[in-house]
Amino acid sequence: DKFKVALKQLHDILTNSEAETKSIYFYGDFNFPKINWNTKEVPESLQFFIDFCDEWNLEQVITRVVF
């Protein structure tokens, strides 16, 4: 899956640039309506994304559906 590969590449870039010592902001619409951002309940197929967010202390700011 291309998204999983891209996230792995991003993980490697962040690790190599010592990003854990910097502020990181991601903006955009990942469009994952099956993720409950309040409870982090997620289908198994998207657990890798939640794990990535947890590892890099990323959080979803907007938790409601926006059209």
Side-chain angles (χ1 to χ4, degrees), residues 22-53:
K22 301 173 177 112
S23 296
I24 303 169
Y25 297 92
F26 287 104
Y27 294 95
D29 183 0
F30 289 110
N31 196 21
F32 291 131
K34 293 185 179 182
I35 295 177
N36 182 327
W37 290 104
N38 295 315
T39 64
K40 291 192 180 173
E41 290 179 32
V42 58
E44 185 62 34
S45 62
L46 292 174
Q47 186 61 48
F48 74 95
F49 181 64
I50 294 298
D51 294 343
F52 176 86
C53 291

Side-chain angles (χ1 to χ4, degrees), residues 1-28:
D1 155 75
K2 290 180 182 181
F3 182 67
K4 192 179 272 191
V5 170
L7 213 55
K8 170 68 172 114
Q9 291 173 336
L10 179 57
H11 178 273
D12 293 345
I13 290 168
L14 293 172
T15 300
N16 292 333
S17 66
E18 299 178 355
E20 64 274 357
T21 63
K22 301 173 177 112
S23 296
I24 303 169
Y25 297 92
F26 287 104
Y27 294 95

